[in-house]
Amino acid sequence: MTQWPQFPRFTDPLRHWRAIAPDRIALVDRNRGTRQTYAELDAACDRWATSLRRNNIGRGDRVSIVAGNRHEVAELFFACSRVGAALVPLNWRLAPRELGAILLHSRSSLVVGESRFHAVLETGLADGSRPPWLDIDADAPADDSREECAPDVDATADDAVLILYTSGSTGQPKGVIIPQRQIFFNAIATTTAWELSHTDIAPVATPFFHTGGWNVFATPLWHRGGTVVLFDQFDPGSFLDGLAEEKCTVALTVPTQLIMMLGSAQWGRPLPHLRYFISGGAPCPPAVMKRVRAAGYNLREGYGLTECGPNCFAISTEESLANPGKVGRPVPFLEMRLISDDGTESPQGQAGELQLRGPQMFGGYLHDTEKTNDAVADGGWLHTGDLATQSDTGLFSICGRKKEMYISGGENVFPAEVESAIASHPSIAEVVVVGTPHPLWGETGSAFVVLREDGGNLTSEALITFTRQLLAGYKVPRTIVFTRELPRLGSGKPDRRALAERASSHVTAERVGV
């Protein structure tokens, strides 16, 4: 991995803003009704840092946390940085066995959490493997202004500040090391390319065990002196109410959340302060984007991953309207290239694997040098596994995952393109397309479709006929499966591997006459 220069404590902005604008609101916790100024948030972080030191946490240690989106999680993030430790947010949605396996893999020296998750965590751990537990409510440090906090450690660029476990779409979850430099350079790149300032206010409804919760708007805005509004869970009506009441100016959503909001009674309410929604995490169906804009809201698509950024592209509202499906141009510091299967750079307009390089890249996978080396090519280029194209104007489009692409009759088929076409049907709420083995064509598509509540009685035949008007014949799925809901990963993304297994079983059953 590339070694970057050492900078002392360059990722903790609270010290600066406490001095410059102590009374400015830094963090709003909607569920608990708290509002913290930069001075108050900074002081709370110091109290938690003192508590960590009392529990013998220092440089190089890891502290796991299992809790919802609440202000104490943000406080612990900065507290860990101040003592030289890394915070490991655990996915509380996981089964006890899965949760226990991640905790053991992280080798955390301490677990901080809400009491509601304690029993689940204990169930997933074998006797003798339980690190000390600190209850986030019962053991929260008292406000004792007379106690002087120890000095912050001198952080280097490659010191880990977060360990974020991926959702495991391609196997066992991996612990992604987020170093100080990644937080810092992503913050600078994001606030520059997305034109964010200290006046911006952004909600965080994405769980803190994902990079979207931390690094799309939260850490960039704290670096810039802005305001972050926490939502413990996503409810479409409450979220829209919160956007209005808190006067939010920018908002991250995933397509599933946009679809849920479209069905809310609050949809379409005036949001005069909101400049734009950012849709990320998965391609946003064109029909959804059209309905969002028809309601009077601006919408841009973003792209990123835990290992890099996560804010990798920028596009203006005007360009987004004129170039549907485009995510924009690289943000500052980030280099990009598209590589064909033969290892050469892809010609303009042709799909290739997107590879990234820059200081806002991860520090490797925890305890897994082999997987780290597999992910990073010679010269420090990160294999994203995503296919992309670049237009003659320099704008990038994401075609989908390289492993999701399938070959039908010798032709490459990109599921994202097929999904976009199917999702343009007015009856469709969501769709996922996966490749399924076929004895003649090699592979053909299977589409899993969720209808809108007012979707009517759409049939497979009618949907296939509709899709044939938009796509070449080899791209049209041979199998349509209507379902009430899609299986999902912890990140909220559809579980394509589960759907692929289901598709194979479905098609096999059809062929043998089951």
Side-chain angles (χ1 to χ4, degrees), residues 26 42 68 119 122 127 136 155 163 170 187 191 221 277 319 471-472 485 510:
D42 183 70
E122 290 281 293
D127 291 337
I136 203 168
I163 308 293
T170 57
T191 54
L221 279 186
F277 283 108
E319 277 193 316
L471 298 173
E485 59 182 8
E510 282 188 345

Side-chain angles (χ1 to χ4, degrees), residues 20 24 47 91 103 170 192 196 259 271 298 318 328 349 363 410 447 467 476 492:
I20 299 299
R24 186 184 298 165
R47 291 194 293 273
N91 183 349
L103 180 59
T170 57
T192 300
L196 302 178
I259 292 167
L271 297 173
N298 292 322
E318 294 74 21
T467 309
V476 177

Side-chain angles (χ1 to χ4, degrees), residues 378-393:
D378 292 341
W381 290 97
L382 174 68
H383 292 286
T384 67
D386 289 308
L387 294 168
T389 60
Q390 187 178 19
S391 71
D392 55 5
T393 60

Side-chain angles (χ1 to χ4, degrees), residues 274-278 292-293 296-300 317 321:
L274 189 73
R275 299 205 308 278
Y276 55 81
F277 283 108
I278 284 277
V292 171
R293 288 167 174 157
Y297 308 132
N298 292 322
L299 176 64
R300 307 176 185 181
T317 297
L321 277 168

Side-chain angles (χ1 to χ4, degrees), residues 327-345:
V327 293
R329 299 177 177 81
V331 297
F333 313 123
L334 202 56
E335 298 177 75
M336 301 187 179
R337 67 181 187 182
L338 302 179
I339 300 298
S340 302
D341 288 339
D342 61 6
T344 62
E345 293 207 28

Side-chain angles (χ1 to χ4, degrees), residues 259-504:
I259 292 167
M260 292 171 67
M261 285 191 284
L262 288 173
S264 169
Q266 299 286 43
W267 182 250
R269 67 170 297 168
L271 297 173
H273 296 90
L274 189 73
R275 299 205 308 278
Y276 55 81
F277 283 108
I278 284 277
S279 177
C284 188
V288 172
M289 298 186 74
K290 184 177 180 180
R291 293 180 65 192
V292 171
R293 288 167 174 157
Y297 308 132
N298 292 322
L299 176 64
R300 307 176 185 181
E301 278 200 272
Y303 167 88
L305 59 166
T306 307
E307 289 88 343
C308 188
N311 303 324
C312 298
F313 293 92
I315 190 169
S316 68
T317 297
E318 294 74 21
E319 277 193 316
S320 182
L321 277 168
N323 298 274
K326 302 287 194 298
V327 293
R329 299 177 177 81
V331 297
F333 313 123
L334 202 56
E335 298 177 75
M336 301 187 179
R337 67 181 187 182
L338 302 179
I339 300 298
S340 302
D341 288 339
D342 61 6
T344 62
E345 293 207 28
S346 299
Q348 192 174 77
Q350 290 190 20
E353 185 197 16
L354 177 65
Q355 296 186 1
L356 307 173
R357 183 171 67 179
Q360 57 266 61
M361 201 163 83
F362 75 142
Y365 295 115
L366 186 66
H367 311 315
D368 204 329
T369 302
E370 182 178 352
K371 282 190 173 65
T372 300
N373 291 337
D374 288 343
V376 183
D378 292 341
W381 290 97
L382 174 68
H383 292 286
T384 67
D386 289 308
L387 294 168
T389 60
Q390 187 178 19
S391 71
D392 55 5
T393 60
L395 296 174
F396 282 78
S397 301
I398 305 301
C399 304
R401 295 288 294 171
K402 187 175 181 180
K403 292 182 179 179
E404 292 167 5
M405 186 195 78
Y406 58 93
I407 301 175
S408 185
E411 298 284 355
N412 294 341
V413 181
F414 302 105
E417 180 188 11
V418 183
E419 291 162 0
S420 177
I422 294 175
S424 67
H425 191 287
S427 297
I428 305 300
E430 278 190 280
V431 57
V432 172
V433 175
V434 296
T436 306
H438 190 278
L440 176 60
W441 303 111
E443 289 179 291
T444 57
S446 293
F448 291 84
V449 175
V450 179
L451 293 176
R452 291 173 54 182
E453 290 185 6
D454 56 350
N457 298 315
L458 183 66
T459 65
S460 299
E461 293 77 13
L463 185 56
I464 288 174
T465 299
F466 171 84
T467 309
R468 283 190 182 279
Q469 298 173 14
L470 304 175
L471 298 173
Y474 68 88
K475 298 180 182 180
V476 177
R478 295 238 167 177
T479 304
I480 306 290
V481 180
F482 293 102
T483 181
R484 290 183 177 274
E485 59 182 8
L486 300 171
R488 298 190 184 278
L489 301 167
S491 61
K493 298 178 183 179
D495 189 339
R496 289 180 179 272
R497 187 165 58 175
L499 289 172
E501 292 172 358
R502 182 176 164 188
S504 295

